[in-house]
């Protein structure tokens, strides 16, 4: 029997027919520092989202500004997979530090991501029944980051490897203790786990890079806003160096 369209798409991605790389960022401010390093940039709109096709290191890229919050991130990621046949996805942006060991402008290379505001059994005991409520980042893409690090990263780029969590609201001081008790993550944001969940459902490898704008010691929307531009620049550099290795 002829395979379904979805099954065929998965087979093609796994077989390597499409080598397009998808990049998901919550805002123009977070995407622009990376996009300015690309060539042949062309903008288009689909499903209400702004997409940019581009090239870098002879690789085809498709970038999308997903907007803030989990539903937007999930919708944009699915539109990216459906409309552009990408074979891997990078999730790019900034975050708040939960771990007190992190400093502003440290970049978290996410080894796994999870929702901090969703009961785990909802994901594992109900359709579509994920094997785990934490979504593991792709080892091949993680290895590319590690190779970039070994080859020497630009000044100011410091990588830390660990877990990221996602929720629907900005985390200031309230709520940090509960998140630490349940997940012990390095950082928190409002999009990554939702986009990762869509990638996992479609069996598309993904990796998230998130650069810290605020910490337990320097927190709040004012601190976030002050560091957004510089943190986005550093995250763009980390992705740029990673793509060199693929």
């Amino acid at each position: 029997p002829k395979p379904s369209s979805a099954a065929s798409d998965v087979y093609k991605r796994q077989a390597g027919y499409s080598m397009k790389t998808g990049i998901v960022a919550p805002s123009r401010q977070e995407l622009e520092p990376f996009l300015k390093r690309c060539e042949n940039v062309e903008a288009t709109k689909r499903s209400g989202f702004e997409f940019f096709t581009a090239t870098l290191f002879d690789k085809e890229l498709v970038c999308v500004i997903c907007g803030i919050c989990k539903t937007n991130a999930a919708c944009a990621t699915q539109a990216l997979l459906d409309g552009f046949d990408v074979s891997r996805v990078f999730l790019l942006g900034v975050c708040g530090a939960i771990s007190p060991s992190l400093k502003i402008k440290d970049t978290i290379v996410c080894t796994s991501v999870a929702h901090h505001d969703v009961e785990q059994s909802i994901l594992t005991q109900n359709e579509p029944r994920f094997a785990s409520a934490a979504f593991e980042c792709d080892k091949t893409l993680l290895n590319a980051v590690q190779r970039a690090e070994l080859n020497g990263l630009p000044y100011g780029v410091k990588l830390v490897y660990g877990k990221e969590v996602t929720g629907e609201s900005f985390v200031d001081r309230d709520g940090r203790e509960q998140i630490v008790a349940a997940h012990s993550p390095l950082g928190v944001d409002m999009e990554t786990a939702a986009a990762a969940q869509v990638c996992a459902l479609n069996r598309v490898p993904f990796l998230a890079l998130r650069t810290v704008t605020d910490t337990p010691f320097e927190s709040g929307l004012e601190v976030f806003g002050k560091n957004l531009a510089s943190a986005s620049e550093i995250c763009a550099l980390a992705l740029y160096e990673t793509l060199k290795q693929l």
Side-chain angles (χ1 to χ4, degrees):
K2 183 179 178 180
S4 69
S5 174
S8 176
D9 286 348
V10 169
Y11 173 79
K12 286 193 293 183
R13 288 170 184 142
Q14 291 176 340
Y17 291 137
S18 167
M19 292 308 293
K20 290 180 186 175
T21 298
I23 296 165
V24 180
S27 68
R28 187 175 299 277
Q29 295 98 316
E30 287 161 286
L31 181 61
E32 186 61 37
F34 175 77
L35 207 58
K36 72 182 182 183
R37 291 173 165 83
C38 298
E39 300 174 333
N40 306 310
V41 178
E42 294 186 13
T44 185
K45 254 198 167 174
R46 292 194 186 187
S47 304
F49 295 102
E50 195 166 12
F51 290 86
F52 301 88
T53 57
T55 57
L56 183 67
F57 307 126
D58 295 322
K59 297 174 179 65
E60 291 185 76
L61 309 178
V62 185
C63 308
V64 59
I65 299 172
C66 69
I68 296 169
C69 90
K70 295 198 288 186
T71 302
N72 284 334
C75 290
T77 303
Q78 191 63 60
L80 171 69
L81 299 182
D82 289 342
F84 295 92
D85 195 29
V86 300
S87 60
R88 58 198 175 202
V89 172
F90 285 91
L91 311 172
L92 176 74
V94 302
C95 70
I98 293 294
S99 169
S101 65
L102 293 186
K103 295 180 174 58
I104 288 172
K105 300 179 188 177
D106 285 352
T107 296
I108 300 172
V109 181
C110 303
T111 54
S112 69
V113 295
H115 302 275
H116 70 73
D117 55 358
V118 176
E119 172 59 43
Q120 294 189 26
S121 62
I122 291 175
L123 296 174
T124 59
Q125 296 178 22
N126 298 278
E127 299 301 332
R129 293 185 185 274
F130 292 96
S132 169
F135 305 104
E136 299 294 323
C137 291
D138 182 69
K139 288 182 171 53
T140 298
L141 300 181
L142 281 168
N143 288 340
V145 178
Q146 291 167 339
R147 288 195 300 274
E149 192 172 20
L150 286 172
N151 288 336
L153 294 168
Y155 177 79
V157 180
K158 178 191 173 186
L159 305 183
V160 185
Y161 296 78
K163 186 177 184 178
E164 178 89 358
V165 294
T166 296
E168 285 287 16
S169 59
F170 183 87
V171 176
D172 193 349
R173 298 189 185 278
D174 294 338
R176 287 180 184 268
E177 290 183 6
Q178 295 93 319
I179 292 172
V180 170
H183 298 279
S184 296
L186 292 180
V188 61
D189 65 66
M190 297 174 64
E191 300 84 24
T192 300
Q197 184 174 339
V198 171
C199 290
L201 192 60
N202 287 272
R203 288 185 277 175
V204 175
F206 71 91
L207 178 67
L209 299 170
R210 287 280 186 164
T211 301
V212 173
T213 55
D214 51 283
T215 72
F217 310 108
E218 298 179 77
S219 64
L221 287 170
E222 186 177 346
V223 175
F224 163 82
K226 182 178 72 173
N227 294 308
L228 175 60
S230 56
S232 297
E233 183 72 30
I234 288 170
C235 200
L237 282 171
L239 177 57
Y240 180 88
E241 295 298 326
T242 298
L243 287 172
K244 281 184 184 178
Q245 306 300 321
L246 293 172

